[in-house]
Amino acid sequence: YLDDPHMRKFPWVYMLEVGGMGLTPREIEGLRGYLLAGGFAFIDDFWGTYEWDVFYYNISAVLPEYPIVEMPMDHLIFRIVYPIEEVLQVPNNGQGCRGDPAYYFERDGYVPHLRGIFDDTGRLLVLISWNSDLGDAWEWAEHPYYPLKFSTYAFEMGINMIVYGMSH
């Protein structure tokens, strides 16, 4: 729970399907305190304009003074363990197993983005994977029809995030 004071025991949190979130005032306060005290959040698996707008409304209440920016490819998170050269659109299991890139998107989420929220010192507080689903690639990596390139990318990006989140 985002308003649980014990949340600060964890160096990073994974939040998904945030396109339907509705944070309470206590959750806004709890998540803000967590992030500003050194926590790191990874946001994943939400697609399209409507879900972005819902997420943006909520995260803007948490960190109103910090803008959301596209992650620069020279940021440490793209090379702290594994070198990541490009941001891939990681499809969900059903779309990925179809094997047709024309169907990798959901809703109107045609273009994948990795965005971030940085504090005044340049520390990455929140990493946002929009129009992509790294979690499904982790979950379905052993499925014989799920494309290896997506599960490999997702694991490499995930390990980079964990190492970054636990060391910064």
Side-chain angles (χ1 to χ4, degrees), residues 5-38:
H6 293 106
M7 189 170 132
R8 291 190 183 188
K9 293 180 181 179
F10 303 97
W12 73 279
V13 296
Y14 175 51
M15 300 169 64
L16 65 151
E17 298 184 7
V18 297
M21 75 185 329
L23 297 177
T24 67
R26 286 185 56 173
E27 290 170 328
I28 291 168
E29 181 182 327
L31 182 56
R32 178 179 175 78
Y34 167 79
L35 294 169
L36 295 179

Side-chain angles (χ1 to χ4, degrees), residues 3 26 32 38 48 80 83 87 93 110-111 123 136 153 167:
D3 59 349
R26 286 185 56 173
R32 178 179 175 78
I80 193 165
V87 174
N93 178 47
Y110 304 108
V111 178
R123 184 176 71 86
D136 253 29
Y153 167 80
S167 62

Side-chain angles (χ1 to χ4, degrees), residues 3-81:
D3 59 349
D4 185 337
H6 293 106
M7 189 170 132
R8 291 190 183 188
K9 293 180 181 179
F10 303 97
W12 73 279
V13 296
Y14 175 51
M15 300 169 64
L16 65 151
E17 298 184 7
V18 297
M21 75 185 329
L23 297 177
T24 67
R26 286 185 56 173
E27 290 170 328
I28 291 168
E29 181 182 327
L31 182 56
R32 178 179 175 78
Y34 167 79
L35 294 169
L36 295 179
F40 175 78
F42 173 55
I43 313 298
D44 187 31
D45 190 12
F46 70 116
W47 300 77
T49 306
Y50 174 80
E51 291 188 3
W52 174 264
D53 290 345
V54 171
F55 169 72
Y56 183 82
Y57 174 82
N58 282 274
I59 201 68
S60 293
V62 174
L63 298 167
E65 70 274 39
Y66 301 121
I68 297 172
V69 299
E70 291 291 331
M71 288 297 297
M73 290 304 295
D74 64 348
H75 189 272
L76 181 61
I77 204 158
F78 291 113
R79 58 184 160 73
I80 193 165
V81 177

Side-chain angles (χ1 to χ4, degrees), residues 150-165:
F150 297 127
S151 53
T152 300
Y153 167 80
F155 276 108
E156 289 176 350
M157 196 69 229
I159 290 167
N160 282 6
M161 285 184 284
I162 292 168
V163 171
Y164 181 87

